[in-house]
Amino acid sequence: MKRQYKKLRKYLPVKQKGNLSRVSHFVLNKPFVKRDNIDPKKKFPNNEKGGLIISADFEMAWAWRYTKTNADYLQKGRIERENIPKILRVLDEYNIPITFATVGHLFLENCERGAHDWMRKIPHFDDHWKFTKGDWYDHDPYSNYKDAPEWYAPDLIHMILDSKVDHEIGTHTFSHIDLSYKNCPPDVADDEIKACIMVANNYDIKLESIVFPGGTWGNIETLEKHKIIIYRKRNEFELAYPYRDDIGLLVTTSSGSLEYDLNYGWPKEYLINRLKKYVDKAIRSNTIAHLWFHPSLEPFILENIIPPFLEYASSKREIGELWIGPMNSIAHYINRNKII
Ligand SMILES: [Zn+2]
Ligand SMILES: [Zn+2]
C-alpha cells in the first residue's frame, strides 16, 4: 500500500500531489505518534506536556552542489546569507532557541589549497547526489569569506552566538557528505567529524547534535566516539519523545519541514494550521514535534508562515503546556535525569 502510494505520488502533477498530501494527512489522522511508556510528568523540565524542537540545516553552497535538481548552489548560499539575520530576528522576537546544524567548513574565515588534504575523502557514488567523478572538494574556492561568501560564514556564526536567544550550534558534517554506512567509510566519517570539532573549538563550541546531510543516516559508532549525543532522523512516525538507538545515542524524530512546497498552492491559513496541528498533537501525546528548515527558504514562508506559527508555539509555552528548546538541551535533560 505504502509502495503504491509512493508510486502514485511520483506520477501526479505537483498540484494534485499537494491535494493528495492534504487528504492523506486528514484521512490518516497524521502526524503519526510513536508511543512510549515514560512517565509524562518526567519528560520535560517544567512538567510541560509536549515539546517543540526546531533545527536549521545551515549549509550554504555546500549542500547544493552535486544535486540532481541542478539548483544554483552559489545563489542558494547568497540567499542563506541574506536570510540568516532575518531568521535570527524572528527567533529573537518570540524567544525561540533552535539548533543550527552547521556545515564545518562555514566556521572557517579562509582556507588554502591543500588545507583539507589530510582528510580522507568519500569514494564516488550516484545516489541522492550525483558524485561520479573528481573530488568531493572540487568546488572549494580556497579563498575567504569576503571573496567567496557562499562557502565560509564566520560572521554569521558569530551573529548566531551573539543573538539574544541561546541557540545551539550543532554539526551537519564538515563538507556536507553522505554519512550513510553504504557511501561513507568510517575513516572518512571520522575525519569529517574531527575537522568539525577542530574548527568549532576556535569558537569554544562543543558539538553535541548532528543532522545528517541529505537525509542520510549512518556511522553512528563514529559519532558516539566524538561525543555526539543526539541526532535527527526521519521515521515512519512524525512525533516522538527522543529514544535511544542500538548504540545508545538519542534520536529525535523529524516531524517535517517548516518550508512547504509552495508549488502545491496551499493557502497560507492551511500551511499555518498544519504546523499548529503538530504542536497540538505533541502536547496531547506527550511527545516532541521536531520541525526543520533550510535558511535558504523562500521569503514568503519566512514572512508569512513562521512568525504566526512561532507566536502560537510561544503562547503554548506561556501557559506551561509546551517545552521549546534545541536538540542538545533535551538530550542533557534526559541524560542528567536518566529518563531513558
Ligand atoms: Zn576549504
Ligand atoms: Zn543539508
Side-chain angles (χ1 to χ4, degrees):
M1 162 112 178
K2 208 170 157 189
R3 240 195 16 236
Q4 277 168 339
Y5 176 79
K6 272 193 175 157
K7 216 168 155 186
L8 175 68
R9 265 187 71 95
K10 205 171 151 188
Y11 295 108
L12 277 180
V14 72
K15 270 233 157 114
Q16 293 192 21
K17 223 187 257 180
N19 288 340
L20 184 67
S21 166
R22 249 179 107 153
V23 169
S24 76
H25 212 260
F26 180 74
V27 173
L28 300 173
N29 194 23
K30 279 187 171 188
F32 294 144
V33 175
K34 178 185 189 288
R35 304 276 166 198
D36 59 62
N37 296 316
I38 308 160
D39 179 358
K41 289 192 197 71
K42 293 190 175 150
K43 283 181 166 179
F44 300 100
N46 296 302
N47 206 10
E48 294 93 339
K49 296 193 178 94
L52 171 68
I53 294 174
I54 297 176
S55 54
D57 301 6
F58 182 23
E59 49 206 10
M60 304 224 286
W62 288 96
W64 306 91
R65 70 227 165 88
Y66 299 118
T67 163
K68 290 182 175 170
T69 60
N70 290 326
D72 180 344
Y73 50 88
L74 291 178
Q75 175 69 359
K76 286 276 189 188
R78 287 192 287 268
I79 296 173
E80 213 153 310
R81 269 199 168 271
E82 276 171 36
N83 279 351
I84 289 268
K86 295 180 197 160
I87 292 166
L88 291 175
R89 226 171 292 140
V90 74
L91 294 171
D92 268 1
E93 192 178 337
Y94 298 103
N95 186 26
I96 309 281
I98 73 164
T99 296
F100 283 90
T102 308
V103 160
H105 198 276
L106 301 184
F107 288 78
L108 298 173
E109 286 194 9
N110 56 62
C111 69
E112 282 167 20
R113 190 165 291 281
H116 318 301
D117 284 359
W118 65 272
M119 297 171 67
R120 287 160 286 191
K121 313 279 160 60
I122 30 172
H124 298 145
F125 63 91
D126 182 7
D127 223 317
H128 40 275
W129 285 295
K130 196 171 173 57
F131 173 50
T132 50
K133 59 177 180 347
D135 189 280
W136 185 254
Y137 282 81
D138 276 353
H139 296 87
D140 191 334
Y142 300 111
S143 176
N144 60 70
Y145 79 102
K146 294 245 159 81
D147 295 330
E150 303 87 354
W151 303 93
Y152 310 81
D155 51 331
L156 298 181
I157 292 171
H158 281 298
M159 205 183 275
I160 295 169
L161 292 173
D162 291 344
S163 74
K164 273 198 298 198
V165 185
D166 219 358
H167 297 299
E168 177 191 14
I169 306 257
T171 185
H172 198 36
T173 73
F174 188 74
S175 63
H176 207 270
I177 57 165
D178 176 334
L179 212 59
S180 65
Y181 287 109
K182 187 176 137 217
N183 291 326
C184 181
D187 51 1
V188 175
D190 197 57
D191 286 349
E192 282 271 329
I193 303 300
K194 250 191 238 160
C196 291
I197 291 171
M198 275 159 53
V199 290
N201 268 342
N202 298 332
Y203 295 71
D204 285 327
I205 293 170
K206 192 170 163 219
L207 301 172
E208 297 178 306
S209 308
I210 187 168
V211 168
F212 294 98
T216 61
W217 174 88
N219 279 288
I220 306 300
E221 298 78 1
T222 305
L223 303 178
E224 192 210 17
K225 179 183 150 195
H226 290 294
K227 311 242 177 338
I228 301 288
I229 52 176
I230 188 167
Y231 60 81
R232 188 183 85 199
K233 186 170 186 270
R234 209 175 143 167
N235 283 302
E236 64 278 11
F237 41 84
E238 285 93 14
L239 300 175
Y241 191 73
Y243 59 94
R244 292 200 190 273
D245 69 7
D246 294 342
I247 312 262
L249 265 72
L250 288 166
V251 186
T252 160
T253 286
S254 159
S255 306
S257 173
L258 277 172
E259 31 171 343
Y260 284 110
D261 189 338
L262 293 176
N263 296 327
Y264 288 170
W266 288 342
K268 194 172 114 179
E269 290 66 31
Y270 176 74
L271 289 167
I272 299 166
N273 284 335
R274 192 165 155 133
L275 292 172
K276 287 181 181 172
K277 209 171 149 184
Y278 283 88
V279 163
D280 290 343
K281 203 161 177 179
I283 291 171
R284 275 205 311 277
S285 60
N286 310 120
T287 56
I288 289 181
H290 185 157
L291 296 159
W292 55 269
F293 66 96
H294 296 106
S296 58
L297 82 176
E298 289 286 330
F300 175 83
I301 301 277
L302 186 52
E303 285 154 24
N304 297 286
I305 309 298
I306 292 186
F309 171 65
L310 295 185
E311 189 178 5
Y312 182 75
S314 78
S315 75
K316 289 288 172 187
R317 178 178 56 191
E318 207 68 20
I319 55 169
E321 289 193 344
L322 188 71
W323 170 89
I324 305 175
M327 291 165 66
N328 69 342
S329 167
I330 196 72
H332 284 306
Y333 175 76
I334 290 171
N335 289 341
R336 206 170 41 236
N337 297 288
K338 301 192 172 55
I339 308 289
I340 43 171

